[in-house]
Amino acid sequence: MDKELLAMLICPLCKGKLTYNREALELECRFEGLAYPIRDGIPVMLPEEARAMSVDETLHDSPGRAGEA
């Protein structure tokens, strides 16, 4: 995914920053708990097309996680 494109994309619901998951080919919004798919190199930024992330996925690598210094 192009870094410049990623920097411009935001979650359509909360307008928050997205994280690129290279393995799953998704853009993840940890605030909304949604993962937007990337199909044929094109991010599909429709909430109805997004996958609901599990609690573990949402908390993974989030800032301020309990037990981290």
Side-chain angles (χ1 to χ4, degrees), residues 3-37:
K3 288 182 181 183
E4 289 181 29
L5 176 59
L6 180 58
M8 290 188 282
L9 293 175
I10 59 171
C11 175
L13 297 177
C14 72
K15 311 301 185 232
K17 184 177 178 179
L18 298 169
T19 304
Y20 177 48
N21 183 331
R22 182 177 301 191
E23 295 170 4
L25 290 177
E26 295 176 327
L27 294 173
E28 299 173 342
C29 175
R30 304 226 187 253
F31 297 107
E32 293 292 330
L34 294 174
Y36 297 94

